[in-house]
């Protein structure tokens, strides 16, 4: 598609259709030196599982619009909308066949415009998911590219002949040994032209060739088209994979093999994570898409495998690339020897140290996203909390420690209800292609069925993709039809209506955390210091500015925990009186001897003037 009128909005104007005088507008005026998204909280909607308006069992855009009041009550500033574009849905919409239209399963462009307007009325901006490392193999660009080795769009994707000295189609003839993220080779043979194309994800997600300036031009143009619809920015899917490392072995255009992985394929990570031109591509994108609108949009780069140093470079405002990264280091801390589907228990000091490292690493320059749940991750309350007896307290305490760090918090749908994992017990219940491909490969990898089901139950992406429970009616009010995936058991009691009615619920705790971030600058700006780093149950830290200090004390265990405040560096605790937010109605307080006894999974945030 080509660009015509690029005048979207007045440079520096507010988000899309956002009326003046709104909360973000006001905060922007008050803190001119601070980007608006520093004080914002993002809520991720996975449309397929959010709310179904037409009874086909699949969530849709009118369904989202009908639930906006829930998000307004929660107080979030932004919705990150997972893909709603036209798609064959091999990867639930992360395989896009038309970037400028809405998939009929989700509604129409008019529905989306209506959602943007209705969200704006509630002071909520819509951030679209930008999936441009790859397209669907059903995108017209790829259809053209694969039609002939002479296609004008051949070079828009990564086409390579068989490895020299091998026979096309034979095992081992793939151009490199890279394994895909979704099992098997990252190369797919096209029988017609006798060449292979690269797909880091599924074979229906061919990688775009960002080296080609026409590809980049089309993408920037498409992005400008979306800005004109009044959106608030983009979440950029695996954006640090767009630059592949070429010619490492001195042969121009060549791609190098990777070290063998446990599944027998090669690890291509060093060849495509944070590749040599990523910074340049992002800077060019910024210049072509966002430069005319300083301070207006939010851009967040999903960056698997990114180093702290590289994240700083992507988010250094002086480099004009992206506003923040969404990175995964903490999500890998419970991966076992067999990878993510072979999890091991979390060692709490590792998690605390990891978050602290990013706090310090981006303290002066750069910005991070803060998250536990996501459409690609299991539910946090099952993963690192207690989804049984202490579900509510552990969900609140995990939320507290996360939201009291520095960065932009992301709440994933259902997290604010303390939703646990899906509890699937049979392979037939799974829908996600990553899980299904892994299951198909299990026998070859020597994984028995019991181990496979245990791994999937703990780590499958479907854990977070079950429908949001809205109320106690049939199918939790998600659909009047048959849901596309089973509901998470327990929705009769764990649902939005029940949570909103209960001031002690996980929902109201999240609401308070959002409010605290909006109202108290120390949550946004405070310098971070981790206390008692080696403690295996206690997560304690302070956030300090010239005017105030927050002291976060959290018990990450199901046992009562006595904390000697002087021992962890807090001078006796005599002035720990003002409670900013707490997991329990009656927060525990220090006794006269400087000892604080926290109940199982209790957390308290004290505030004092500096
Ligand atoms: C990251 C997305 O979050 C995930 O859901 C998707 O499968 C891959 N990128 C491929 O687009």
């Amino acid at each position: 598609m080509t660009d015509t009128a690029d005048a979207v909005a007045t440079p520096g104007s507010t988000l899309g259709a956002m009326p003046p005088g709104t909360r973000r507008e006001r905060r922007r005026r008050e803190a001119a030196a601070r980007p608006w998204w520093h004080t914002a909280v993002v809520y991720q909607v996975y449309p397929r599982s959010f709310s179904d308006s037409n009874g086909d069992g699949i969530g849709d855009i009118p369904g989202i619009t009908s639930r906006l009041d829930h998000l307004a009550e929660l107080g979030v500033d932004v919705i990150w909308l997972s893909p709603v574009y036209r798609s064959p849905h091999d990867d639930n919409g992360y395989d896009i066949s038309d970037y400028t239209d809405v998939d009929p399963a989700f509604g129409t462009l008019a529905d989306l415009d209506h959602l943007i307007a209705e969200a704006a009325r509630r002071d909520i901006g819509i951030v679209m998911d930008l999936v441009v490392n790859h397209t669907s193999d059903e995108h017209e660009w790829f259809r053209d590219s694969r039609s002939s080795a002479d296609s004008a769009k051949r070079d828009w994707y990564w086409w390579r002949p068989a490895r020299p000295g091998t026979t096309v189609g034979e095992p081992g003839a793939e151009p490199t040994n890279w394994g895909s993220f979704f099992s098997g080779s990252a190369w797919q043979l096209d029988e017609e032209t006798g060449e292979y194309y690269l797909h880091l994800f599924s074979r229906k997600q061919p990688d775009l060739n960002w080296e080609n300036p026409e590809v980049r031009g089309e993408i920037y143009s498409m992005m400008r088209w979306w800005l004109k619809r009044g959106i608030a920015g983009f979440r950029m899917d695996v954006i640090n994979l767009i630059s592949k490392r070429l010619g490492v072995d001195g042969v121009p255009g060549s791609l190098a093999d990777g070290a063998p992985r446990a599944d027998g394929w090669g690890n291509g990570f060093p060849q495509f994570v944070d590749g040599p031109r990523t910074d340049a591509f992002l800077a060019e994108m910024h210049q072509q898409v966002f430069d005319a609108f300083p301070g207006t949009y939010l851009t967040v780069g999903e960056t698997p495998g990114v180093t702290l140093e590289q994240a700083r470079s992507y988010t250094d405002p002086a480099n004009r690339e992206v506003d923040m990264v969404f990175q995964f280091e903490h999500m890998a801390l419970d991966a076992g020897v067999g990878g993510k589907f072979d999890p091991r228990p979390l060692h709490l000091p590792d998690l605390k140290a990891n978050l602290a490292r990013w706090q310090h690493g981006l303290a002066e320059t750069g910005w991070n996203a803060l998250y536990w749940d996501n459409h690609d991750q299991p539910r946090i309350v099952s993963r690192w909390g207690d989804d049984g007896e202490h579900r509510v307290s552990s969900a609140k305490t995990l939320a507290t420690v996360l939201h009291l760090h520095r960065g932009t918090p992301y709440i994933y749908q259902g997290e604010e209800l303390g939703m646990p994992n899906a509890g699937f017990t049979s392979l037939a219940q799974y829908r996600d292609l990553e899980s299904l491909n892994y299951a198909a490969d299990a026998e070859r990898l020597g994984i028995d069925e019991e181990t496979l089901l245990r791994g999937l139950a703990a780590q499958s992406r479907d854990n977070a993709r079950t429908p949001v429970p809205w109320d106690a009616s049939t199918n939790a009010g998600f659909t009047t039809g048959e849901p596309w995936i089973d509901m998470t058991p327990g929705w009769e009691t764990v649902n939005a209506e029940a949570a909103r009615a209960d001031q002690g619920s996980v929902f109201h705790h999240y609401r308070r955390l959002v409010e605290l971030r909006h109202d108290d600058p120390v949550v946004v700006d405070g310098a971070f210091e981790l206390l008692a780093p080696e403690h295996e149950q206690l997560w304690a830290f302070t956030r300090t500015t010239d005017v105030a200090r927050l002291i976060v004390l959290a018990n990450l265990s199901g046992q009562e925990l006595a904390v000697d405040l002087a021992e962890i560096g807090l001078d006796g605790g005599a002035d720990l009186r003002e409670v900013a937010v707490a997991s329990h109605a009656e927060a525990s307080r220090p006794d006269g001897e400087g000892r604080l006894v926290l109940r199982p999974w209790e957390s308290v945030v004290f505030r004092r003037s500096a």
Side-chain angles (χ1 to χ4, degrees), residues 9-16 25 28 293-297:
T10 326
S13 75
T14 188
L15 302 176
E25 187 67 40
R28 189 182 301 159
F293 314 103
T296 303
Y297 297 105

Side-chain angles (χ1 to χ4, degrees), residues 149-172:
D150 300 325
S151 155
K153 290 202 167 54
R154 188 67 166 178
D155 185 48
W156 282 37
Y157 294 84
W158 294 90
W159 290 98
R160 291 290 185 276
R163 185 185 289 271
T166 63
T167 308
V168 178
E170 294 292 307

Side-chain angles (χ1 to χ4, degrees), residues 1-9 221 224-229 293:
M1 81 174 250
T2 43
D3 226 10
T4 44
D6 266 341
V8 181
S221 163
R224 290 188 291 257
W225 184 88
W226 276 105
L227 296 189
K228 277 180 230 163
R229 295 200 96 84
F293 314 103

Side-chain angles (χ1 to χ4, degrees), residues 389-401:
E389 184 189 348
H390 299 298
R391 185 186 66 82
V392 170
S393 306
S394 67
K396 290 181 185 178
T397 285
L398 283 159
T400 301
V401 289

